[in-house]
Amino acid sequence: MAKPIYILNGPNLNLLGAREPEIYGSQTLADIEKLSATRAQAGGFSAVFRQTNREGELVEWIHEAREKGSAVVINAAAYTHTSVALHDALKAVDLPVIEVHLSNIHRRESFRHHSFISAAADGVIVGLGAHGYELAVDAAIALAKSRTKAP
Ligand code: DQA
């Protein structure tokens, strides 16, 4: 059985659906979890889907994914723009890493334009709402499969 895809979500994403729906859409995090799990299963993988409001917990989950996962999909939310700790944790992961954001962070306030995650990610998906998670899971699976093929 393949190891799961870790899909990690940062602060305030537990409020999706109610929080600034004009920016983040009306789907809840539970809706996104279902979409992501379905997509992972279609690709032959299971998903570990988590959310926390604490930076250190995200760091610990990234460490867990290093050992127990096939790939990491991460929406670090506001920590994207502030966290060297998450950057360093992701650099230590020898697995595919896909960064995802619901909104197009480049079309928003300038403080959202820089991501500490991007330099540690294989790919970045922004601005496509919940569908971005499905695309991120697909990309993570494609990369995980190509990395496990014999050279
Ligand atoms: C976000 C974008 C971040 O700038 C913001 O802090 C979030 C959500 C997104 O998914 O669009 O909380 O990561």
Side-chain angles (χ1 to χ4, degrees), residues 27 100-104 124-135:
Q27 279 167 298
V100 63
H101 299 284
L102 295 151
S103 63
N104 180 353
V124 182
I125 295 171
V126 303
L128 300 177
H131 183 49
Y133 278 73
E134 296 183 293
L135 297 173

Side-chain angles (χ1 to χ4, degrees), residues 10-13 16 19 23-24 75-81 100-105 108-109 111-112 127 133:
N12 303 305
L13 293 174
L16 280 182
R19 169 195 184 207
I23 295 175
Y24 297 116
N75 183 351
Y79 291 137
T80 303
H81 316 297
V100 63
H101 299 284
L102 295 151
S103 63
N104 180 353
I105 54 176
R108 299 184 61 196
E109 306 95 320
F111 65 82
R112 296 185 202 276
Y133 278 73

